[in-house]
Amino acid sequence: MNQEDQRAIQDDYPDDFAWCYGCGRNNNEGIHVKTYWEGDQTVSSVLPDKKYTALPGFVYGGFLASFVDCHGTGSASLALHRKKGHQPGDGVEAPRFVTASLHVDYLKPTPQGITLKATSQVEEIHPKKFRVKTQIHAGDQHVANGEVVAVVMPDTFIKDKD
C-alpha cells in the first residue's frame, strides 16, 4: 500500500496536540511531517522549502533535525498504536510522544530541490519509551542519520479542560 492510500499517525493526534511546528496539522507555517508504515519500517517524505536554506543549494541542518525529531516521535506513536492493536484511521486516538533525546549525524551536505525520505527502525526500551533510529536520504544520497528517544507525553502536558 502506498502512502496516498494510508492515513498518517499525525492525522490521528488530538487537536490540542496537533500544533507542533514539525508535524502539527494545525500549524499553517509548519513542515507537516507525515509518518507511515512501510513493512516493519516507518517512513516520511518532505520537500524542504527554499526558506530552509543553509547556503544556496543546500538545506539548513536544523530542518533535518526537525524532520528526524518529528518523524521519530511519529514512529514511536505508530509503534505503540500497533502494539495496542490499532492503526491510523481506526477511530482510536493515537498516543502522543515528546522527545527525550535527539541526536543527528550529518553525513554530507543536503541538496535543495530533492524530496527527503526518512526511514526508521523502532525499538521499545520501556513500556512508555522508544528508541527510533533514522536514515535520511535525498534521492540516492544518504545525507544524515538520527536517533530519537521518545517518551509518552506526560499528563502534565494536558491542559485542564474545565
Side-chain angles (χ1 to χ4, degrees):
M1 182 183 301
N2 62 29
Q3 290 178 6
E4 292 79 32
D5 298 331
Q6 295 185 58
R7 185 171 170 94
I9 193 68
Q10 291 87 349
D11 295 329
D12 287 348
Y13 287 169
D15 281 341
D16 285 354
F17 300 109
W19 290 96
C20 174
Y21 180 76
C23 62
R25 69 181 176 279
N26 294 332
N27 188 326
N28 294 331
E29 299 298 318
I31 300 168
H32 301 135
V33 172
K34 303 270 189 181
T35 307
Y36 307 89
W37 283 114
E38 190 173 272
D40 288 332
Q41 291 187 335
T42 60
V43 297
S44 295
S45 297
V46 295
L47 179 60
D49 189 277
K50 281 202 172 215
K51 68 183 174 185
Y52 303 111
T53 297
L55 297 169
F58 297 98
V59 177
Y60 164 61
F63 179 90
L64 293 172
S66 293
F67 186 29
V68 168
D69 185 14
C70 286
H71 172 70
T73 57
S75 296
S77 185
L78 270 174
L80 183 56
H81 210 42
R82 180 182 270 183
K83 180 181 175 184
K84 291 180 176 182
H86 302 291
Q87 61 185 6
D90 69 2
V92 176
E93 190 173 277
R96 192 66 171 88
F97 280 75
V98 292
T99 305
S101 174
L102 170 65
H103 180 87
V104 179
D105 290 315
Y106 301 95
L107 306 177
K108 57 178 61 175
T110 303
Q112 282 185 323
I114 297 175
T115 297
L116 305 180
K117 182 176 182 181
T119 57
S120 296
Q121 298 291 324
V122 182
E123 171 189 356
E124 184 176 358
I125 55 178
H126 180 275
K128 292 186 176 186
K129 187 185 288 187
F130 292 78
R131 178 178 291 116
V132 181
K133 294 183 178 182
T134 300
Q135 291 187 353
I136 304 289
H137 287 83
D140 61 357
Q141 294 182 60
H142 183 183
V143 296
N145 289 325
E147 182 177 286
V148 169
V149 174
V151 295
V152 174
M153 183 178 287
D155 289 340
T156 55
F157 276 42
I158 299 170
K159 291 181 188 177
D160 185 8
K161 305 244 186 209
D162 294 330

